Each structure stands twice: as structure tokens, then as C-alpha cells.
Amino acid sequence: MAEFGKVVVFGTGLIGGSFSLALKEADAVEEVVGFGRTPATLRKAQELGVIDRAGINPTHEIEDADIILVATPVAQMADIFERIAPYLGPNTIVTDGGSTKGDVVAAARASLGDRIGQFVPAHPIAGAENSGPTAARWDLYQGKKVVVTPLAENSDEALDHIKRAWSLCGADIYELTPEMHDRVFAAVSHLPHLLSFALVHDLAVRDDADLFFTFAASGFRDFTRIAASHPEMWRDICLANREALLGELDSYRAQLDELRTALARNDGERLEEIFGIARRARRDWAGEG
């Protein structure tokens, strides 16, 4: 028998759809029911085998679900928590795929109340620039990190339930507090996206933008790849984690000011020192020694 009976997924695109396909590939789920914003999206998800059927009303699908994954943009999660709260079965565990945790946990507490122990927050560190059911892949999480941010109210059983599901998707599981999660990802994920969007926007609004893009090559392509990401999703992420992100922006601006000062002073020694530290750190991180 499959390890999980019914899994309900809110958001059948890259994150939610890949979770579904991965569990199916592992023969770990009997049925996946999907909820989405449009009937067309759900029809496409069903045609592609991402879900087995589309849900019509949460009232009839929530109580007997083993797992509910909320894989929508983070700004939509509060409404979903409110919708599902009255119908949660005693054995149903809710998780999410949001890139921020403080706001998501607060929304879950507000809606779930004394059933907050049934919510185990998580963040799969895997993605791509494309979205929607056609972007879903069964192997998206293979060898990727999933950060689980347990709450004090979570039982060991609930935590193990969600860890097991993500493990069956092929992911490596890590734990952080929600606060530490948001601090870390403001620096290594949210800020890089902001910078990439900013650079492309700066060039795109120039009168001679076509000239610049004509000569942009592989370095520009690599640096700006993530600027092709979903604008709505990243708007929500930036606003949800704005305090930590503002702190990282201030730190980065200070670094830019230091580079500008070195340039203005024709200080090649300082530029090379900064570049050398960055190069070593990048090569160590990438395993390039």
C-alpha cells in the first residue's frame, strides 16, 4: 500500500505539482487532489498527470487528507488556512512551500488556533524560472534541500510525517527556526533576486536598451537568470520578509559604497583584496577548491 492515502495540493504549479509527481513516482500516494485559481490550470494539471482530480470544495476534501500542501504565493496562504481550518481532520498534517516563514507561521496561527500543531512549515530549496503545471517535474527535489521549521506545538509524529514526505521526493531535510530561516534566505535568495531584477530593470527602461541587450553575453545571462522569475511571487516574498531584506540591502549598499570608494581612489589593491576574498568563498562553496 502507498504510504499516504490522499494528498491535497493548493497550487499545482512548479512546487506543488513537483511534490505530487515525486510522490507518485515513489508510489507513495494513492490520490492527489488539486486546488487552483482557474479551472483551466486544474484541467491542464490533470491532463499532465500532476493531479488525479480537481477539488471542487475544500469541505469535502480536507477531513480525510493525510497531507495538505499549500504551494501558492505566500500572500495567498492566509486565505487558504482560513478556508481549510474548520474542516481539518484530527490526523491531517498541513505543510507549505513558502519562501518566507515568519509571515506564514503568523497566518497559520491566526487561522488554525489551537490546531496549530497540525501545521509543519517547510521550504523546498528548488525552483526554476517557469511556473504552472507544465513546469512541474517529478525529479525537481532530487538531492535538493528542504528546510523544515518546526513549531513548539508540533508533535514528533507530525514532524516525522512531513519529513518523510519530502524525503520520498528525494530531498535532504534540514531544520531551522522560522526566524533564522528568514534571516538566512534574505541574504542568499531574496537579495540576489532583488539585485537581478534591479539590474535588468535599469537597462530595460533606458532609451537605448536594445543596444545594451544586443551585447549582453554569458556573464549577464548567468547573473540575471533569476530576473525571469515570477513577478507576483517575488513581490510577495520581498514584502513578506521586508525587515530582514532591508537589513541585507543596507549591508549590500555599504559594500557597494566601499567598492565605489576604492574605484574613486584608484585603489586597485583594495579592489583585488575584495575580489580575492569573494573568489575564494565562491569557489569553496561551489566545491571548486
Side-chain angles (χ1 to χ4, degrees), residues 51-287:
I51 60 174
D52 296 306
R53 59 185 177 86
I56 305 299
N57 189 331
T59 306
H60 308 302
E61 305 290 357
I62 299 304
E63 185 175 8
D64 62 341
D66 287 325
I67 293 175
I68 298 172
L69 171 66
V70 183
T72 63
V74 291
Q76 299 173 22
M77 291 186 181
D79 178 63
I80 293 171
F81 293 144
E82 189 172 346
R83 288 170 61 195
I84 68 176
Y87 312 112
L88 277 184
N91 299 315
T92 300
I93 307 300
V94 183
T95 190
D96 76 300
S99 296
T100 56
K101 294 275 75 79
D103 60 315
V104 173
V105 170
R109 287 190 182 282
S111 295
L112 302 182
D114 59 5
R115 308 188 78 172
I116 188 63
Q118 291 177 243
F119 175 60
V120 180
H123 175 200
I125 316 304
E129 295 74 55
N130 298 319
S131 58
T134 57
R137 295 166 27 200
W138 71 267
D139 61 346
L140 181 67
Y141 303 118
Q142 292 286 317
K144 301 295 177 59
K145 298 178 178 68
V146 169
V147 179
V148 178
T149 62
L151 307 179
E153 296 88 346
N154 292 149
S155 66
D156 290 342
E157 291 77 13
L159 182 58
D160 289 345
H161 200 63
I162 295 306
K163 285 183 173 181
R164 177 63 177 161
W166 285 113
S167 293
L168 286 166
C169 293
D172 299 321
I173 312 302
Y174 293 78
E175 287 190 29
L176 292 173
T177 65
E179 296 77 17
M180 181 58 73
H181 170 281
D182 287 355
R183 179 184 167 201
V184 167
F185 284 93
V188 301
S189 176
H190 308 162
L191 179 64
H193 278 81
L194 208 64
L195 300 179
S196 184
F197 282 125
L199 175 58
V200 177
H201 179 267
D202 175 45
L203 297 181
V205 298
R206 297 186 187 189
D207 291 338
D208 52 354
D210 288 346
L211 178 64
F212 288 92
F213 287 119
T214 296
F215 293 100
S218 58
F220 181 84
R221 181 181 297 274
D222 291 344
F223 183 78
T224 62
R225 175 185 60 82
I226 51 180
S229 301
H230 199 291
E232 178 188 7
M233 180 181 76
W234 280 97
R235 173 203 67 193
D236 291 348
I237 290 170
C238 289
L239 292 175
N241 203 23
R242 66 183 181 275
E243 292 303 322
L245 187 50
L246 283 169
E248 292 302 328
L249 271 173
D250 288 342
S251 178
Y252 192 80
R253 287 174 69 180
Q255 184 71 207
L256 288 177
D257 287 342
E258 184 172 3
L259 288 170
R260 190 184 190 286
T261 298
L263 278 172
R265 294 176 177 174
N266 201 31
D267 188 350
E269 184 177 349
R270 180 56 179 152
L271 286 175
E272 185 175 354
E273 180 185 7
I274 293 171
F275 296 166
I277 292 171
R279 179 178 187 268
R280 287 192 296 274
R282 173 59 167 78
R283 288 175 65 85
D284 287 346
W285 170 77

Side-chain angles (χ1 to χ4, degrees), residues 1-7 20-32 52 64-67 161 164-165 168:
M1 289 182 62
E3 192 149 345
F4 305 112
K6 181 196 287 187
V7 170
S20 170
L21 289 176
L23 291 179
K24 286 172 173 285
E25 179 70 16
D27 292 323
V29 62
E30 294 178 6
E31 180 184 42
V32 178
D52 296 306
D64 62 341
D66 287 325
I67 293 175
H161 200 63
R164 177 63 177 161
L168 286 166

